[in-house]
Amino acid sequence: MTEKKHILRRAPRPEPKPDREMECFAAVPRGSEDVTAAELRLLGIEGAQAGRGGVSFRTNRAGLYRANLWLRSASRVLVRLAGFPCSSPAELYDGVHAIPWQEMITPAMTLAVDCSLRDSALTHSGFVALKTKDAIVDRIREACGSRPNVDTASPDVRVNIHLVKNVCTVSLDSSGDALDRRGYRLERNEAPLRETLAAAIIALTGWDGNVALADPMCGSGTIPIEAALMAARVPPGRNRSFGFQRWQDFDPRLWKGIQAEAESGIRQLPVGLVSGYDSDSRALSIARRNAAAAGFEGQVHFFHSSLEQFRPEGEGGVVIINPPYGKRMGEEDELKELYCQIGDILKQRCQGWTGYVLTGNLELAKYIGLKASRRFVLYNGPIECRLLKYELY
């Protein structure tokens, strides 16, 4: 007798509910909060409030879709569902269980729970995630008769728990994969810069695509490629999908319209506008493949050049350098000469340009031998860094 296979089919997606304003939070690398707030204002989202580690804002469904598609410096966009005091497992369970999860998650869908905890009675993130999951699936089972499964790798719905000083905030993660996953970085060089941090650095320089931009230590090309995306007006989320596309209230017609609107604004990158240089042939090969994957084959130019040979083309523009800090790739004593060299190159070869150096080692920065006209505090992962600006008259 032939065995019958029972296939769990997802129910047809219901018509989107009437639009409503949502309370959102864009999580960002520390130091980039003002950059992200400015990006939201450019998207027409007013009232964005920058705080530590993120930006709070209110928007409708279209604004949420645009934020995910266009934000360059944010890590993810969360939609707040509830907040409540939480100093015990019972309070956590009851607070999460009170949310009408059956309106957002069906038994045929999958879910995952992410947690961040600080200064609270509950200190084990694994336990908090498990207790949250129990409360969610219990509520759905009570309403629907069956429960969804957990899929930590690629869930339909990702729930975020933020527990700080015994106050729990429950949110839906509308981004899915982190927003730095643009889809173009096919390969990574050693100690790569995150795309979101590269975008924040470029924004802090004030570069607007009207003058040249050069990176003399470009590695796998993240800074030049992010600059190219900005100058060509390409949304950073163009070649990826988002968590909200799996939600029950996803509006595909609205999303297609927003994508079409974005596509209509893309322009060709001017020749010679963005360039990268590196002495590592393998890194340059990766950079070229990444640039091609981002749609800039032949438009972003990469040159095999040591730092000693670097000379930017053109009469002025912006030079951005991200040298090693002595914490990941090389020891501090070995890097003193490199930082001296950076100072010499900026002074002797980049007159008329504006130089920026990102470093997580202020002792090494002294060897540049130039007075920074401005300093921006940024975090590269856990490393507190400075983006140093040098006016090169």
Side-chain angles (χ1 to χ4, degrees), residues 50-119:
R52 184 186 177 191
V55 182
S56 301
F57 64 100
R58 296 184 69 86
T59 190
N60 58 13
R61 190 180 289 132
L64 180 71
Y65 294 179
R66 285 195 179 92
N68 276 285
L69 180 65
W70 280 104
L71 286 179
R72 300 182 189 278
S73 57
S75 303
R76 54 184 70 249
V77 180
L78 306 175
V79 177
R80 186 180 185 276
L81 298 179
F84 50 85
C86 178
S87 56
S88 70
E91 284 186 318
L92 174 65
Y93 182 93
D94 291 343
V96 174
H97 188 271
I99 299 168
W101 294 104
Q102 69 278 9
E103 297 177 7
M104 296 168 271
I105 304 174
T106 71
M109 298 170 74
T110 58
L111 72 124
V113 180
D114 296 330
C115 296
S116 60
L117 315 178
R118 193 176 77 246
D119 302 332

Side-chain angles (χ1 to χ4, degrees), residues 81 92 113 230 250 286 336 346 356 381:
L81 298 179
L92 174 65
V113 180
M230 288 184 190
F250 174 57
I286 293 171
K336 290 176 182 177
L346 290 175
Y356 291 85

Side-chain angles (χ1 to χ4, degrees), residues 202-355:
I202 296 163
L204 288 171
T205 70
W207 185 76
D208 58 4
N210 290 319
V211 296
L213 183 144
D215 179 354
M217 298 181 73
C218 71
S220 56
T222 306
I223 289 174
I225 295 169
E226 286 297 316
L229 290 170
M230 288 184 190
R233 298 170 189 161
V234 174
R238 183 189 193 191
N239 295 321
R240 55 160 288 166
S241 60
F242 300 94
F244 64 76
Q245 290 175 261
R246 301 189 191 185
W247 290 2
Q248 285 288 92
D249 66 351
F250 174 57
D251 188 337
R253 187 179 302 171
L254 174 63
W255 175 233
K256 286 178 182 176
I258 288 170
Q259 287 179 304
E261 175 188 67
E263 290 292 320
S264 69
I266 294 173
R267 64 175 186 171
Q268 187 79 5
L269 195 69
V271 175
L273 182 69
V274 179
S275 55
Y277 304 72
D278 208 281
S279 60
D280 185 338
S281 298
R282 179 181 173 276
L284 285 174
S285 178
I286 293 171
R288 291 190 180 100
R289 287 197 291 272
N290 289 344
F296 297 110
E297 186 170 12
Q299 296 182 62
V300 176
H301 297 290
F302 294 99
F303 302 94
H304 186 266
S305 170
S306 65
L307 187 62
E308 299 96 314
Q309 298 168 320
F310 169 71
R311 185 182 295 275
E313 297 182 1
E315 297 183 359
V318 170
V319 174
I320 301 175
I321 308 176
N322 175 37
Y325 314 150
K327 296 180 179 179
R328 286 182 178 174
M329 294 171 59
E331 294 302 320
E332 189 171 315
D333 288 343
E334 297 171 7
L335 294 172
K336 290 176 182 177
E337 185 178 343
L338 172 63
Y339 278 72
C340 287
Q341 202 172 71
I342 289 171
D344 291 342
I345 296 297
L346 290 175
K347 281 184 286 189
Q348 298 166 13
R349 309 257 181 93
C350 302
Q351 293 176 6
W353 291 62
T354 306

